[in-house]
Amino acid sequence: MKEAAAPLREAWYYAVPGRKLRSRALLAKTMLGEPLVIGRDRAGAPFALRDICPHRGMPLSAGRFDGHAIECCYHGWRFATGGQCVAIPSLLPDQDIDIARIRVRFYPVREVQGNIWVYFGTDPESAPEIPRVEDFADAAPRLVETVAFPATIDHAVVGLMDPAHGPFVHRAWWWRARGSIHAKEKEFVPAPWGFTMRRHPPSANSRAYRLLGGAPQTEITFRLPSVRVEHIQAGRHALANLTAITPIDERVTEINHCIYWTAPWLSLLKPALRPYVRAFLRQDRDIMARQQQGLRHDPALLLIDDADMQAKWYYRLKREYARARAEARPFENPVTPRTLRWRS
């Protein structure tokens, strides 16, 4: 587990909802311990640069952006959205400095289904694809909630896929009671860059699913580096939860929960749904904050079969991906089909 502790760099990470990026506005954000300035140019295309002017270290996000170039607030150096320097106001016409050689690091950026993703490696074409939520074409999420967890990327991901903590952490009248714990059995199969829990009826003690009516069926997929997509079909309507985990630094991780739906009546309930989503995420945040009190002593940890098998798969997937990239060979999914059984 310690060997795999660092986040994968050859991967796409969720940055912000697309609606947060207004034209000609700049957004400062730390991801993977690196300062970024994210924006949207006049044509509507998102971009991301290292948020440090190479002249005197001023954050570029403190400057002005006209839709074409960012102007540093300290000395007015200007940088195009591709990172190249395009103007240094203090230069005289006869001073021979090739400003085209001055650059700020540029990060590949993509906008997919209303979300902005940033790439931190060197070869985005060979990385796991940004997941698309089935049945929603290019629609943006109807509801997005973001919460910072005081945890490393690995503990946040393992907490995300942990199937046994629900009756103890998420006890609520609208979700589960501790006494509702019972035996479960789910089929898992390998999926691109991860694994899938095959489509099945939601657990009888998951009360929130009753809002959808009918006989809902759910399928849950995990994909590297840290994305979980739950797709629920209820008659002719669909609802999907995309949860993307982004490391901010070595101690803080951001959980981004995006909800898509097709049922019009759910939009009417949106103001009422948001507090429950926030409460659910804060329960996970609070339990991880308590966990840090033990983890700071660097204890040896124990993962068991079957309840912790998804966590074991995560570490194996992450290790195999890192090795495959280092050895310049194809990724070989270490997950094999298996039925897991646990109580929750």
Side-chain angles (χ1 to χ4, degrees):
M1 291 169 64
K2 287 183 179 179
E3 177 188 345
L8 298 172
R9 294 193 62 82
E10 294 290 340
W12 292 95
Y13 287 93
Y14 187 102
V16 293
R19 64 172 177 263
K20 266 196 164 186
L21 281 187
R22 302 189 312 275
S23 179
R24 299 174 65 177
L26 298 175
L27 176 69
K29 187 174 182 68
T30 300
M31 299 173 64
L32 278 71
E34 300 186 20
L36 273 64
V37 55
I38 307 173
R40 192 186 293 279
D41 65 20
R42 284 191 175 181
F47 67 91
L49 302 176
R50 182 171 171 81
D51 193 16
I52 298 178
C53 179
H55 180 214
R56 299 285 293 278
M58 179 63 64
L60 291 173
S61 58
R64 299 174 57 189
F65 179 50
D66 62 3
H68 296 292
I70 300 175
E71 180 181 275
C72 180
C73 67
Y74 200 1
H75 296 90
W77 288 29
R78 290 172 59 81
F79 296 89
T81 57
Q84 64 273 26
C85 182
V86 294
I88 298 180
S90 62
L91 286 179
L92 295 172
D94 61 345
Q95 291 178 322
D96 188 18
I97 295 180
D98 184 5
I99 64 172
R101 299 180 61 182
I102 302 172
R103 301 187 65 88
V104 176
R105 182 180 174 183
F106 166 83
Y107 297 83
V109 176
R110 291 182 185 169
E111 186 166 12
V112 177
Q113 288 185 313
N115 297 307
I116 306 296
W117 302 76
V118 178
Y119 193 81
F120 286 81
T122 59
D123 185 14
E125 300 307 318
S126 300
E129 301 87 352
I130 298 170
R132 294 188 64 89
V133 181
E134 182 185 351
D135 290 334
F136 292 92
D138 292 324
R142 303 293 189 112
L143 189 153
V144 178
E145 283 294 325
T146 297
V147 177
F149 282 24
T152 63
I153 178 70
D154 286 344
H155 284 296
V157 171
V158 169
L160 173 71
M161 59 179 58
D162 174 12
H165 75 283
F168 304 94
V169 176
H170 297 300
R171 279 181 284 175
W173 67 265
W174 46 270
W175 187 243
R176 289 179 185 169
R178 181 168 181 166
S180 69
I181 190 170
H182 64 281
K184 297 178 182 179
E185 183 175 298
K186 310 294 182 186
E187 293 183 16
F188 290 81
V189 294
W193 314 102
F195 54 86
T196 294
M197 181 193 295
R198 283 186 161 166
R199 195 167 292 278
H200 60 278
S203 299
N205 61 345
S206 299
R207 295 170 181 162
Y209 289 102
R210 299 174 189 173
L211 285 172
L212 301 175
Q217 294 275 321
T218 182
E219 177 183 83
I220 302 174
T221 297
F222 173 81
R223 172 180 292 189
L224 288 174
S226 49
V227 183
R228 175 187 184 270
V229 177
E230 179 179 15
H231 184 279
I232 306 162
Q233 195 72 43
R236 62 188 181 90
H237 289 298
L239 181 145
N241 299 302
L242 183 149
T243 308
I245 300 179
T246 299
I248 301 304
D249 54 33
E250 293 181 353
R251 297 184 178 183
V252 178
T253 302
E254 196 172 74
I255 312 299
N256 302 280
H257 190 67
C258 310
I259 307 178
Y260 300 75
W261 60 71
T262 60
W265 56 268
L266 279 177
S267 297
L268 300 176
L269 293 177
K270 183 176 174 178
L273 290 173
R274 190 180 294 276
Y276 292 104
V277 175
R278 288 176 176 171
F280 197 91
L281 293 173
R282 288 169 181 169
Q283 287 170 339
D284 280 324
R285 178 200 61 192
D286 293 346
I287 201 69
M288 287 195 176
R290 292 176 186 169
Q291 184 188 27
Q292 299 311 304
Q293 299 174 27
L295 292 176
R296 67 185 179 186
H297 300 289
D298 197 23
L301 303 179
L302 176 64
L303 297 176
I304 64 172
D305 291 343
D306 285 5
D308 293 328
M309 197 65 226
Q310 295 178 70
K312 291 185 178 184
W313 284 338
Y314 164 68
Y315 285 112
R316 293 173 189 173
L317 286 161
K318 188 177 177 183
R319 185 165 55 246
E320 161 59 16
Y321 182 69
R323 289 177 177 174
R325 295 301 293 248
E327 297 167 7
R329 61 171 173 82
F331 170 81
E332 297 180 9
N333 194 326
V335 178
T336 57
R338 180 167 174 176
T339 299
L340 301 182
R341 302 169 61 242
W342 65 87
R343 296 181 72 245
S344 70

